[in-house]
Amino acid sequence: MIPRFGKTPLRGQSYRRRPGAYAILYRDGHLLMTHQVRPSPEYQLPGGGIDPGEGPITALHREVFEETGFSIAAPRYLGSYRRYAYLPDYGYHAEKMCHVWLARPILRRGPPTEPHHDACWMTPERAYRLLPDAGSRAMLRRSGLIRGTA
């Protein structure tokens, strides 16, 4: 069973399943994160929705590039979780199926192409404190990059 994090689904509300590919990007003791300025400022694992007809690894590479400007190598699947959310950019409620990989950022090919996103480096411990999503924090713990966790 895929664990659920966050809010309980609203009774009577229909949710559209939205699969997504996300990355924990680690190099030289730091994580490459994305800082989304709008609709509200927050730090996130780079990633996003898997488009219809797109494979998860293809989506992972595309989303990381869009949100950070980096290419990546050696993705290793860590796990999945789900959460329920309203997606204001799309105008619907979603059951987000978040698939997470650990990968290495290799080369910055340019600035992020996703509007209102900036790439930033930080320690895994700082990223853990700043991530607003309990599922992302659980995956970061699972990666073993946070001191004192497996």
Side-chain angles (χ1 to χ4, degrees):
M1 171 170 260
I2 296 175
R4 175 177 57 85
F5 291 89
K7 298 177 183 176
T8 303
L10 299 171
R11 188 178 301 266
Q13 175 65 55
S14 64
Y15 289 85
R16 194 180 300 179
R17 188 169 275 187
R18 178 75 170 144
Y22 299 87
I24 295 172
L25 301 172
Y26 183 74
R27 185 172 80 191
D28 300 328
H30 288 83
L31 296 183
L32 178 59
M33 301 285 290
T34 185
H35 182 241
Q36 181 176 331
V37 190
R38 288 187 189 161
S40 61
E42 67 181 18
Y43 291 92
Q44 303 170 343
L45 296 178
I50 301 170
D51 292 336
E54 184 177 45
I57 295 295
T58 301
L60 181 69
H61 284 271
R62 176 184 54 76
E63 285 286 347
V64 167
F65 174 72
E66 288 175 358
E67 294 187 1
T68 69
F70 273 79
S71 60
I72 62 171
R76 182 174 58 90
Y77 179 73
L78 283 177
S80 298
Y81 68 95
R82 60 191 173 113
R83 67 185 187 95
Y84 293 87
Y86 178 72
L87 305 180
D89 290 347
Y90 300 98
Y92 62 82
H93 288 82
E95 177 187 4
K96 295 185 76 174
M97 300 297 295
C98 304
H99 307 289
V100 182
W101 283 263
L102 178 64
R104 269 183 309 129
I106 298 299
L107 177 67
R108 183 156 193 210
R109 296 171 34 208
T113 60
E114 185 76 25
H116 314 297
H117 284 72
D118 291 311
C120 56
W121 293 93
M122 64 183 69
T123 65
E125 292 77 19
R126 182 165 187 249
Y128 185 84
R129 288 191 308 272
L130 293 174
L131 282 167
D133 170 17
S136 293
R137 291 191 303 271
M139 289 293 125
L140 185 51
R141 277 193 313 273
R142 183 179 285 186
S143 75
L145 298 173
I146 301 292
R147 284 186 227 131
T149 65

